[in-house]
C-alpha cells in the first residue's frame, strides 16, 4: 500500500511539531524516518498510524483519504519502542489479539487464528515459546513478538517507532538484519523511526532525514550520504568536518591561500566547506589545506587527527592510516577528495 | 589485633545499618508501642466480647437489632463500594489517560474526603437534604427520604470512601501510560474491548486492593454516618453506631460482641492486603509508593 502525506501540519498546544510536511511512501518499500529527538519523526509516524490527528493536511492510503479514519479503520501494524505487549496474556494470546477482537462476521475460526499465530511465531523464530508470558522473554524476543502481533492483522502498512531503541547494541544489530529479511519475505510497506543513522543507512531502501519539524532530504542511503543537500544532513549523516572558506576567482581560499579546490558554480563571497574526514588525500603541494596536529587518537582501523588549520586556527578532523607517524605538532597538508559547498551562516 | 578484627567485622555490615544493641533497642521500642496501642485494645475487644461466655456472645449477635445493624452495614457497603469502583475507575481513567484543563484541581478534589472531618461530611448532607433545605422537602414530596434513611447513609459512606479506589488507581494507571491501549487500538480493538481486555487486567490487583480498603472503611465508618442516620434502632443503625449505643446503655458484652466482628473484618482485610502486597506488589501502586 502506498502512503502519501500531503502538506501535514501538527501542533501540540499551539506549539508546532510538524510544519507543512509532504512525503510519498512507495508500496513495498522500507523507509526510515531519521532525525535527532524533537525533529518530529515520531509525530509523523503516529499521524500516519492515526494515533494523532493532523492539525492541517491529509494522509492518503492508496487512493483513499485516511485522514478522517480512526486508528482501527486504517489497518496498520504498529510496533512500539517499549514493546507494549499485554503482560497478562501469553505470547500466543498476544499475537492472536488482533484477530480475536474482530467482529464475528470477519473473525476467522479459533483454529484458524491459532494456526496463523503459530505460523507467525515461526516466522519470528520463537516457536515453542507460545505459552510463555512477556515478562519471561528477553527484550529482543519481546520485540519480535510485538512484530508478529502487528503482522497478524495483515496490515496495509507496518509502522515501527524506534523498534530497537531499548535493546543493547549486539541484539540491535541482529534484529536489524532479521527485520530486513522479514521485510523482503513479506513485502509490507514499512516505515520505521530511528535516531541511529547507522541503522537507517543499513536497513532502509530510502531514508527521510528530518529536523525541527521539517523534512530535510529524502533519498536512498547512497544519495543522502554522498550528496547531502543541506549542512544539517551533511553534519547529521556520517562523519563530517566543516570549515569557513572564501570563494574568489572560481577557487576556494582559506586564510588568504588558495587550497586547490574549484568553486564550481558558487558565487564569490563567504561559504562553508563540508567534507568527510576519511575522504581526503594527503598531498605535498602549496594549494592545499595545511595545519598542525593538535590531537590524535586511534578510532578502529584508522587514526583520527584534529588539525588546526593555519590562519584563524579552525579545527577540522581528518582520518589517517593507523600506522601514519603523525603526532602532536606534526604539520600535515591534505585536500578533500569529495566535498560540498554551502552558503555561509 | 582485637581492634583490627572488630574493624573487619564492622566493615561487613552495610553503612546504613546500626550495631546489634541499637537494632534490638529500636525493634523493642516499636514492638512495645504496638503492643500497648494496637494489640492490647484488640485483645480487650475479644476478651470483653467473650467475658460472659460463648453463649452470651452469640446471643448478643443473634439479637434482632444487632442482626438489623449487620444487614444494614452489609447493604450500605454493597451499594457504596461498587459505585465507588465505577466512580474511581472513571476518575482515574480520565486523569491518567487524558490531558485536560483543571486536572490538578480534580486530583485535589478527590482527596477532599481525606482532609475533611467525617462529621463535616455528614453535616453537609444534613444541610443539603434536611428539613430546612430546598432539596429535602422537594424529594420528600415524591416520597423519597434521604436523611435518617438508607440513601443518606449510603451517600455519606460514598463520600467518605470515595478516594480509596481512585487514589490507588491514578498512580498505577499513570505509571502504565497509554502504550498498551494504543497497541490494542492499532490492532483493531474498539474502546470497550480495550478496556475489558487490556486496561482492566492491567490494574485488577490494584483495583482489588483499593476495593478492600474502601470496603473496610465503608463498613467501619462512624462519624459521617452518625450525623445522617438518626440512629433509629433496627432501621438506620449500622454496626459501628449500634456498638456505640449498646455501650452507652452499659451493655458492654453485646457492644464488644458486635465490635469483635468489626475487629475481625479489620484483621481479614489486613491479611488480604498483606497477601496482595506480597504477591502483586509491583502491580499495586500503594505498595510501591509508600
Amino acid at each position: 500500500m502506498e502512503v502519501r502525506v500531503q502538506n501535514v501540519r501538527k501542533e501540540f498546544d499551539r506549539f508546532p511539531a510538524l510544519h507543512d510536511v509532504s512525503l510519498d511512501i512507495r508500496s513495498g518499500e522500507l523507509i526510515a524516518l531519521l532525525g535527532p529527538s524533537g525533529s518530529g519523526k515520531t509525530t509523523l509516524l503516529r499521524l500516519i498510524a492515526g494515533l494523532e490527528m493532523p492539525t492541517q493536511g491529509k494522509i492518503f492510503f492508496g487512493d483513499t483519504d485516511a485522514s478522517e479514519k480512526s486508528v482501527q479503520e486504517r489497518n496498520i501494524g504498529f510496533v512500539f519502542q517499549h514493546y507494549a505487549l499485554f503482560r497478562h496474556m501469553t505470547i500466543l494470546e498476544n499475537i492472536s489479539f488482533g484477530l480475536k477482537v474482530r467482529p464475528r462476521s470477519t473473525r476467522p475460526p479459533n483454529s484458524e487464528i491459532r494456526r496463523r499465530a503459530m505460523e507467525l511465531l515461526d516466522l519470528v523464530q520463537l516457536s515453542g515459546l507460545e505459552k510463555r508470558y512477556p515478562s519471561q522473554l528477553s527484550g529482543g524476543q519481546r520485540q519480535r513478538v510485538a512484530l508478529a502481533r502487528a503482522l497478524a492483522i495483515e496490515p496495509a502498512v507496518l509502522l515501527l517507532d524506534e523498534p530497537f531503541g531499548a535493546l543493547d547494541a549486539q541484539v540491535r544489530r541482529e534484529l536489524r538484519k532479521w527485520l530486513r529479511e522479514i521485510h523482503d519475505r513479506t513485502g509490507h510497506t514499512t516505515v520505521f523511526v530511528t535516531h541511529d543513522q547507522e541503522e537507517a543507512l543499513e536497513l532502509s531502501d530510502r531514508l527521510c532525514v528530518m529536523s525541527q519539524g521539517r523534512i530535510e532530504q529524502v533519498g536512498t542511503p547512497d544519495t543522502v550520504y554522498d550528496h547531502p543537500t543541506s549542512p544539517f544532513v551533511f553534519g547529521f549523516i556520517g562523519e563530517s568536518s566543516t570549515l569557513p572558506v572564501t570563494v574568489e576567482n572560481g577557487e576556494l581560499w582559506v586564510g588568504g591561500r588558495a587550497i586547490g579546490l574549484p568553486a564550481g558554480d558558487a558565487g564569490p563571497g563567504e561559504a562553508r566547506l563540508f567534507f568527510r574526514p576519511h575522504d581526503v588525500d594527503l598531498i605535498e603541494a602549496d594549494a592545499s589545506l595545511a595545519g598542525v596536529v593538535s590531537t590524535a587518537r586511534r578510532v578502529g582501523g584508522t587514526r583520527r587527527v584534529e588539525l588546526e588549520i593555519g590562519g584563524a586556527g579552525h579545527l577540522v578532523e581528518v582520518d589517517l592510516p593507523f600506522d601514519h607517524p603523525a603526532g602532536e605538532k606534526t604539520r600535515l597538508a591534505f585536500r578533500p577528495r569529495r566535498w560540498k559547498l554551502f552558503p555561509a551562516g | 589485633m582485637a581492634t583490627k578484627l572488630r574493624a573487619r567485622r564492622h566493615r561487613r555490615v552495610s553503612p546504613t545499618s546500626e550495631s546489634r544493641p541499637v537494632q534490638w533497642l529500636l525493634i523493642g521500642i516499636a514492638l512495645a508501642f504496638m503492643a500497648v496501642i494496637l494489640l492490647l485494645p484488640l485483645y480487650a475487644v475479644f476478651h470483653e466480647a467473650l467475658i460472659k461466655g460463648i453463649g452470651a456472645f452469640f446471643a448478643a449477635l443473634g439479637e434482632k437489632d444487632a442482626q438489623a445493624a449487620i444487614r444494614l452495614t452489609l447493604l450500605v457497603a454493597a451499594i457504596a463500594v461498587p459505585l465507588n469502583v465505577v466512580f474511581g475507575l472513571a476518575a482515574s481513567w480520565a486523569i491518567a489517560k487524558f490531558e485536560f484543563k483543571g486536572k490538578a484541581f480534580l486530583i485535589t478534589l478527590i482527596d477532599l474526603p481525606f482532609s475533611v472531618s467525617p462529621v463535616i461530611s455528614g453535616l453537609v448532607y444534613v444541610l443539603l437534604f434536611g428539613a430546612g433545605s430546598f432539596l429535602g422537602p422537594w424529594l420528600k414530596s415524591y416520597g423519597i427520604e434521604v436523611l435518617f434513611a438508607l440513601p443518606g447513609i449510603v451517600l455519606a459512606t460514598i463520600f467518605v470512601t470515595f478516594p480509596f479506589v481512585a487514589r490507588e488507581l491514578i498512580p498505577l494507571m499513570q505509571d502504565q501510560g497509554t502504550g498498551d491501549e494504543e497497541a490494542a487500538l492499532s490492532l483493531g480493538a474498539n474502546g470497550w474491548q480495550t478496556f475489558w481486555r487490556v486496561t482492566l487486567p492491567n490494574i485488577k490487583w490494584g483495583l482489588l486492593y483499593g476495593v478492600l480498603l474502601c470496603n473496610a472503611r465503608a463498613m467501619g465508618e462512624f462519624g459521617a454516618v452518625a450525623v445522617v442516620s438518626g440512629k433509629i434502632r433496627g432501621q438506620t443503625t449500622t454496626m459501628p453506631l449500634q456498638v456505640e449505643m449498646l455501650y452507652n446503655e452499659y451493655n458492654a458484652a453485646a457492644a464488644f460482641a458486635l465490635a469483635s466482628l468489626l475487629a475481625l473484618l479489620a484483621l481479614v482485610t489486613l491479611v488480604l492486603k498483606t497477601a496482595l502486597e506480597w504477591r502483586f506488589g509491583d502491580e499495586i501502586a500503594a505498595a510501591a509508593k509508600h
Side-chain angles (χ1 to χ4, degrees), chain A residues 40-54:
Chain A
K41 54 191 193 304
T42 295
T43 304
L44 180 55
L45 191 80
R46 290 172 63 87
L47 282 165
I48 296 173
L51 291 170
E52 309 281 356
M53 289 298 173

Side-chain angles (χ1 to χ4, degrees), chain B residues 203-275:
Chain B
I203 58 166
K204 63 180 174 219
W205 297 114
L207 182 63
L208 188 60
Y209 187 90
V211 165
L212 206 63
L213 296 182
C214 180
N215 182 58
R217 182 66 192 269
M219 290 189 172
E221 176 53 30
F222 180 84
V225 172
V227 178
V228 296
S229 99
K231 297 183 190 171
I232 307 166
R233 200 178 278 267
Q235 283 182 38
T236 66
T237 37
T238 59
M239 280 165 76
L241 298 181
Q242 182 78 5
V243 170
E244 193 218 13
M245 285 161 76
L246 288 170
Y247 185 77
N248 286 344
E249 291 157 6
Y250 305 103
N251 194 347
F256 280 107
L258 212 48
S260 68
L261 277 191
L262 283 172
L264 215 56
L265 168 76
L267 287 177
V268 169
T269 305
L270 195 68
V271 169
L272 287 176
K273 176 174 165 294
T274 312

Side-chain angles (χ1 to χ4, degrees), chain A residues 46 51-52 71-72 75-78 80 83-89 94 97-103 107 149-150 153, chain B residues 99 176-191 193-194 196-202 204 282-283:
Chain A
R46 290 172 63 87
L51 291 170
E52 309 281 356
V71 54
Q72 292 99 328
N75 191 34
I76 48 104
F78 203 101
F80 297 81
Y83 330 122
L85 293 179
F86 307 130
R87 66 204 87 176
H88 59 280
M89 296 183 201
N94 262 285
F97 183 86
L99 296 173
K100 282 192 173 157
V101 294
R102 284 193 182 165
R107 185 172 55 208
R149 182 178 71 176
I153 59 169
Chain B
E99 288 303 321
Q176 289 180 348
T178 50
D180 283 14
E181 281 77 16
E182 285 182 345
L185 295 174
S186 78
L187 291 165
N190 59 36
Q193 286 170 320
T194 303
W196 283 107
R197 290 178 182 231
V198 176
T199 307
L200 200 58
N202 274 348
K204 63 180 174 219
D282 50 340
E283 293 170 47

